[in-house]
Amino acid sequence: MTVPPFMNQAASVVSTGADPNGNGRDQPRDDGSAESIDEIRLPLLAKIYGALCLAVGIVSFPLLAFTIIVVVRSVNVADITPTLTVILTVIHALTLVSGSVALIVFGALLLRNRRRHAARWAYVLMPITILQGLSNLALFGLGPELLLQAVQLALLIVISVTADPMLALERREQHLLKRIEEQDELAAAAKIGMVGRDLTGRGYIALDFFNLFWVFVVASVVGLGIETVYHFALYHGELQDRAGLLYGPFSPIYGFGGVLLTVFLNRLWNRNPLLIFLCSAVIGGAFEYATSWFMEVAFGVTAWDYTGQWLSINGRTSGKYMIMWGLLGVVWVRWCLPRLLKLINRIPWQWRYSLTVACFVLLFVDGTMTLMSLDCWYSRVSGLSPDSPIEMFFANHYDDAYMQHRFQTMTIDPSRTGRV
């Protein structure tokens, strides 16, 4: 693998302090180590900000801990209904406590001029601050706290960049080296027709994020299509929306099922089809049972009921559908997976990472909103009025009629849930 010349030049500049244009500079050697970075004094404003962070953390942590203890002791946990508001309140409390601890450490590092460690803790505080802002917005709506957290986030970004600029350079160099290495591996695999394959020979497909994510997407869409056509043919032309997410033609049970079959059957791809069939039947049946149980216990939702069918297990799965999972596993491993692998690896190199990340973010948001909408639907059916901005949002935009129309195969019954 060839390292680009500018990276060698950058390494030379870091280690010697030389000007890349050839002009000598009269300044001390800087090898980029924590000791050399810490010799450079932070500005006075950074020290003041560090003192403020330390003071806020020291004051807020015991107050938060004391408040949480008092609330927990005064409330009977068994009487609490775990609505979305309650769940978000717990998350908000945890982010406040963890943020207070991080502020103490971060402020102390700034006061002691530990630039590199302070920069790293700034990166720790960034997601905590974002979570605090999101939970604040969901629980209390727009307020002055959001402005304070926005200012905090901006200051953390400034500190992370100025405290130790070498950290960003190191990450960029490591990222570039990894991309070059992956591109070399892709080119080598393409020469032997093994793009996306498990080059160790232990399995068929490389179980990396890129492959498994697109397995999930394709299986979600194709599975939804097959189930829609099956229902259309079985019920004399009845067209039913059988999607499993708020938006898009996705059925996540088939997506996760495709991922599970890929992972567990990866080393069996060239074995006896009967063995693949039996393993697929067990895996598919267990997954279908677990999914049905979770949806019922968490939200009181029944998406399918196989009661009365041959070898029905609590109505959550049956012998008929375990056979279908078995046949699906054989077809998936022997026929679908090789063609799917060729298809997804036709995505151009320069697009595959950005496209995969963008699609993952969209699906993650879609899945999160789906779970939150189901929780709010359960609360409304249970007779609980929306008591936070986020629940009001879902009540206005995803009311009972919308949810029933979108998830036509689902029925909701609060008495079937495991909640109090």
Side-chain angles (χ1 to χ4, degrees):
M1 181 183 66
T2 304
V3 179
F6 74 87
M7 292 185 62
N8 290 327
Q9 185 183 44
S12 175
V13 171
V14 170
S15 61
T16 63
D19 193 316
N21 296 321
N23 301 321
R25 292 188 301 177
D26 184 17
Q27 55 180 289
R29 172 187 174 91
D30 183 5
D31 59 4
S33 64
E35 291 77 9
S36 60
I37 290 293
D38 291 344
E39 290 175 1
I40 306 173
R41 306 300 298 175
L42 284 167
L44 178 61
L45 288 177
K47 294 293 187 72
I48 295 174
Y49 175 62
L52 181 62
C53 289
L54 182 63
V56 170
I58 291 175
V59 171
S60 61
F61 176 72
L63 288 177
L64 288 169
F66 177 74
T67 302
I68 291 173
I69 292 173
V70 170
V71 171
V72 171
R73 287 184 173 180
S74 61
V75 176
N76 186 359
V77 179
D79 294 335
I80 299 177
T81 301
T83 62
L84 181 61
T85 301
V86 173
I87 295 171
L88 288 175
T89 301
V90 173
I91 294 174
H92 187 57
L94 292 176
T95 58
L96 290 176
V97 172
S98 59
S100 299
V101 175
L103 281 176
I104 295 174
V105 177
F106 178 64
L109 291 172
L110 286 178
L111 290 176
R112 296 180 62 188
N113 208 76
R114 299 294 181 85
R115 299 174 67 107
R116 168 154 293 204
H117 291 90
R120 288 172 174 166
W121 274 91
Y123 287 112
V124 173
L125 274 165
M126 286 180 195
I128 295 177
T129 304
I130 293 173
L131 283 176
Q132 289 175 351
L134 291 176
S135 56
N136 250 329
L137 180 63
L139 290 170
F140 310 111
L142 295 173
E145 297 86 359
L146 291 177
L147 179 60
L148 292 176
Q149 283 153 356
V151 172
Q152 168 85 342
L153 186 62
L155 291 173
L156 289 172
I157 293 174
V158 172
I159 292 293
S160 67
V161 173
T162 59
D164 187 3
M166 294 303 301
L167 276 178
L169 178 60
E170 289 174 5
R171 280 194 300 273
R172 284 196 295 270
E173 290 178 349
Q174 292 171 359
H175 177 70
L176 181 58
L177 286 171
K178 183 179 179 182
R179 292 293 297 273
I180 293 172
E181 183 178 348
E182 290 176 347
Q183 193 167 14
D184 288 346
E185 292 176 353
L186 182 65
K191 289 181 179 179
I192 59 176
M194 295 281 283
V195 176
R197 294 283 300 275
D198 183 1
L199 298 179
T200 66
R202 291 190 294 268
Y204 180 81
I205 186 175
L207 299 178
D208 53 32
F209 177 78
F210 174 79
N211 283 340
L212 293 180
F213 173 76
W214 289 108
V215 163
F216 174 85
V217 172
V218 173
S220 296
V221 176
V222 174
L224 176 63
I226 293 173
E227 186 172 346
T228 302
V229 172
Y230 175 77
H231 181 85
F232 182 85
L234 194 65
Y235 290 90
H236 310 291
E238 180 186 6
L239 190 61
Q240 189 179 54
D241 188 351
R242 306 180 73 84
L245 295 179
L246 276 179
Y247 297 102
F250 304 107
S251 180
I253 186 171
Y254 289 104
F256 285 115
V259 171
L260 286 175
L261 291 179
T262 302
V263 171
F264 285 104
L265 301 179
N266 193 37
R267 297 192 179 189
L268 303 178
W269 68 276
N270 58 350
R271 299 292 183 88
N272 190 312
L274 180 59
L275 176 61
I276 299 175
F277 171 83
L278 293 175
C279 292
S280 301
V282 173
I283 294 170
F287 173 64
E288 196 170 34
Y289 187 97
T291 303
S292 173
W293 175 86
F294 169 77
M295 294 178 67
E296 185 174 295
V297 170
F299 307 112
V301 167
T302 301
W304 59 83
D305 187 359
Y306 303 146
T307 301
Q309 292 190 11
W310 175 63
L311 289 182
S312 173
I313 305 176
N314 297 332
R316 305 188 190 281
T317 190
S318 68
K320 170 186 173 181
Y321 287 99
M322 289 179 70
I323 290 175
M324 287 187 176
W325 277 104
L327 295 173
L328 181 63
V330 176
V331 174
W332 176 258
V333 171
R334 288 297 184 86
W335 191 84
C336 296
L337 197 57
R339 289 160 177 79
L340 173 62
L341 196 58
K342 291 181 180 179
L343 176 65
I344 63 178
N345 279 283
R346 292 176 68 89
I347 300 175
W349 171 261
Q350 60 269 30
W351 288 96
R352 62 193 299 160
Y353 285 102
S354 55
L355 180 64
T356 302
V357 170
C359 292
F360 171 77
V361 170
L362 291 175
L363 271 178
F364 181 80
V365 172
D366 194 3
T368 302
M369 289 190 64
T370 300
L371 291 175
M372 296 171 74
S373 66
L374 287 174
D375 188 85
C376 291
W377 188 21
Y378 161 81
S379 297
R380 293 193 300 269
V381 174
S382 300
L384 302 175
S385 300
D387 58 356
S388 65
I390 191 67
E391 290 190 334
M392 291 294 296
F393 170 82
F394 280 103
N396 292 331
H397 295 85
Y398 306 98
D399 57 12
D400 296 353
Y402 179 94
M403 296 295 289
Q404 194 63 66
H405 177 74
R406 176 57 177 173
F407 303 108
Q408 296 178 11
T409 64
M410 296 184 184
T411 58
I412 186 167
D413 181 2
S415 65
R416 298 175 67 92
T417 185
R419 301 186 185 188
V420 178

